[in-house]
Structures are given as C-alpha cells and as structure tokens.
Amino acid sequence: MRSKRVGSGIEIAGFEGPVFPLVYRSPAGGAELVTAAAGRLTRWDVGSGRPTREFQVPEDASTETFELEALVLKGGRVRIAAGDENGLCLWNGASGRLLADVVGKDRIYDVAGGPTSGGRPLLAGMGVNGLHLWDPVTAAPLAPPLEHVGDAVVVTLATLRGGPTLIVTGDYEGVRRWQGDLCESQFGAEIDAPHINMLTTAYTEDGRPLIVGVVEEGEVVCRWDAETGEEIGPPIPTTGESVRIATATVSGRMRLFTADQDVVRQWDLLSGEPFEETFAGSYASAVSLPDGSALLVAGTDIGKVTIHRLV
C-alpha cells in the first residue's frame, strides 16, 4: 500500500479490488478508519494514511461483502462488526482480535449498533432467516431470530428524543419501526417506500432523528421523521442501481453523501440541494468531528481510498 496527499485529501492506493471504508468517532474524540478489501481488514491513521493495525480475519470470510459497523462501548472499548455469508463477525476495535465469527449461521446482509433507551448496547443484523439481535460485548444472541414480514435486507437504529430506541428495517414493501430492546412491538404505521436497499439515521441540531433510505432500487434517496414517519423534503435523485449513502454534519448543517457509478455526490440533507464538489468512489463513509468539520472516506472499485476533510 502507498499513501500520498492529493488536493485537500489523502489517497491510499494498492488494494486489490473494491475497497469498503468505515470511518467513525474514536473514544478519544478523533476519527479512526477501517477498510475491508480482498480478504483483509486494516485500520489506518486518518492524518497520515499509514496502516496501524491488521485485523484477524477468518479464512472463509467474504470481506468483499462486508458492511462494517463500529460501536463504542462504555469505558472506551470499540467493537467492529460485519455480516457475511456465514453469519456475524465481531472484532476488538483496538487490538484487531477476532472475538466471534459465523454467529447466527445465516447470510447477514446488514448490521447496525448502538445503545438502547434502557442502556443496553445492542447489535442488530438482517439475515435470510430474519432479524438477529446480539450483545456486542460477547456476541451472544439476545433472542432467536425474529421472523420479518417482508424480505428485509437493511437495518438501522434511531433514538427518539426523550423516548425509546427504534430498530428500523427496510424491505421490498416499506420501512418498519420496532420499539423495545427485543423488538417487542411495532412503532407507528409502516412507511410506504418500495424496494429499500439501504438505511441510515441522522440527527438534526435539536436531536430529531431522521431515517434516510435508498428507494426503488437506487433511483432516489428519501428522508423521513423517525417519530412520525412523515417524509422530509422531496426525494433526492440518484443515477445508479447500487447506491451507498452516508451522512455527517459540516459547519452545523447535515450533509448527505451518495456514492454511485464511481462518483460521490454531496447534498444538503434537509433541503436536498446539491453541492458542486464531487469525489471519486463507489463506497462512502463519513463522520462528524467536534470542531464542526467532517471526514469523508471514499472507496473505489479499482483499489483506492481517499480521505477528505470537509469544513
């Protein structure tokens, strides 16, 4: 691998094939980057582009399909989770040690993590056999897989202001919201949005959670109020069939990043207005920083990843 400064960012090249990035807020308040590419998971210094840790990966893991998730636990411990064709993989984010793999023994499409309203750390994963719930400390299942109404492939967590944490799932019929640590009951009505391919959660300045989803096989990105289910603003158009999304706050405004057809575009998340500057990449991850800036990391299909600081 080799890194160099390009424009306002850092480029790391030399990967074999597609690069899937995950950038997240570190326990110390900075940012950390993990990449999945060609059977390897690597942590990088975002300031220099140098590798700092290789993660232990199972021999039969399909890292080309990893959808990585980071979860910072109490006491500063970090867990990196991913689903693959055989189940959940879970790592110690500091040491890179593999804590568990093939948990669930299911094809896991997507994972999401965070604290519940009751204070319990939670990992949720969507699989062929339903919705899985795990303890991110031990990787122990918290309940048998919950059968889902539709063919769900994506999941995110949303914490309501002063209320419960919702587990939000997307399928070919719409978006469903569940409340309770173990999805004890459905919350509100189903949000009508066919063919949900990806979901994430963003929070406004006053703490209102928004659900952001890729709809109709990548044709548009929609935003909904997580509590009411009402759509926010007009749909944002996209041009690809495998659209990836990320969000971050830059200078006090929420920004949406859409990655498709090897171009990462920027949008004002609330208004849907586009920004002129674009970046090369088919995969994107972003994180807000305490000083009001954000980091955007874009991965390509040809073995490169770039780190951009946005102010």
Side-chain angles (χ1 to χ4, degrees), residues 60-139:
D60 59 347
S62 301
T63 55
E64 288 81 2
T65 60
F66 274 169
E67 294 288 352
L68 298 171
E69 174 76 1
L71 181 59
V72 179
L73 306 174
K74 289 183 178 179
R77 290 177 297 172
V78 177
R79 293 289 183 267
I80 303 296
D84 80 346
E85 296 178 354
N86 302 310
L88 173 76
C89 295
L90 188 68
W91 291 269
N92 181 313
S95 67
R97 183 167 64 91
L98 182 67
L99 302 176
D101 70 298
V102 304
V103 177
K105 296 183 179 179
D106 191 4
R107 169 63 168 97
I108 303 298
Y109 296 110
D110 191 24
V111 293
T116 67
S117 53
R120 168 189 282 177
L122 179 70
L123 271 176
M126 283 308 317
V128 173
N129 297 324
L131 177 63
H132 297 256
L133 301 173
W134 299 288
D135 182 329
V137 177
T138 65

Side-chain angles (χ1 to χ4, degrees), residues 18-280:
V19 188
F20 301 88
L22 170 69
V23 63
Y24 59 95
R25 183 80 67 85
S26 71
E32 294 181 352
L33 169 65
V34 174
T35 60
R40 298 175 62 182
L41 254 67
T42 308
R43 191 172 70 232
W44 304 84
D45 181 280
V46 296
S48 66
R50 295 191 180 95
T52 60
R53 177 74 63 180
E54 286 289 333
F55 281 50
Q56 178 186 1
V57 177
E59 291 184 3
D60 59 347
S62 301
T63 55
E64 288 81 2
T65 60
F66 274 169
E67 294 288 352
L68 298 171
E69 174 76 1
L71 181 59
V72 179
L73 306 174
K74 289 183 178 179
R77 290 177 297 172
V78 177
R79 293 289 183 267
I80 303 296
D84 80 346
E85 296 178 354
N86 302 310
L88 173 76
C89 295
L90 188 68
W91 291 269
N92 181 313
S95 67
R97 183 167 64 91
L98 182 67
L99 302 176
D101 70 298
V102 304
V103 177
K105 296 183 179 179
D106 191 4
R107 169 63 168 97
I108 303 298
Y109 296 110
D110 191 24
V111 293
T116 67
S117 53
R120 168 189 282 177
L122 179 70
L123 271 176
M126 283 308 317
V128 173
N129 297 324
L131 177 63
H132 297 256
L133 301 173
W134 299 288
D135 182 329
V137 177
T138 65
L142 299 174
L146 304 174
E147 185 176 351
H148 201 272
V149 177
D151 294 326
V153 294
V154 289
V155 61
T156 188
L157 270 63
T159 300
L160 303 184
R161 292 177 292 185
T165 296
L166 305 181
I167 296 176
V168 184
T169 58
D171 55 47
Y172 293 127
E173 298 178 4
V175 177
R176 306 172 196 269
R177 294 164 291 165
W178 314 86
Q179 62 181 335
D181 288 6
L182 301 178
C183 296
E184 287 87 353
S185 61
Q186 193 159 350
F187 179 88
E190 176 188 335
I191 298 172
D192 183 17
H195 295 276
I196 294 290
N197 292 329
M198 188 173 182
L199 285 176
T200 190
T201 304
Y203 294 88
T204 62
E205 284 185 314
D206 62 357
R208 179 176 59 143
L210 303 182
I211 303 167
V212 186
V214 180
V215 183
E216 288 285 5
E217 299 182 348
E219 294 178 5
V220 295
V221 175
C222 294
R223 297 89 74 212
W224 303 275
D225 186 298
E227 183 171 1
T228 66
E230 295 179 356
E231 189 167 355
I232 307 297
I236 296 173
T238 58
T239 57
E241 295 183 356
S242 300
V243 179
R244 306 297 180 104
I245 56 175
T247 63
T249 300
V250 183
S251 299
R253 293 289 295 178
M254 290 189 297
R255 201 170 294 190
L256 168 71
F257 305 94
T258 60
D260 62 278
Q261 296 187 346
D262 207 30
V263 178
V264 179
R265 296 175 174 85
Q266 305 179 79
W267 314 79
D268 185 289
L269 182 62
L270 293 179
S271 71
E273 291 295 319
F275 288 79
E276 184 176 345
E277 185 178 22
T278 62
F279 308 94

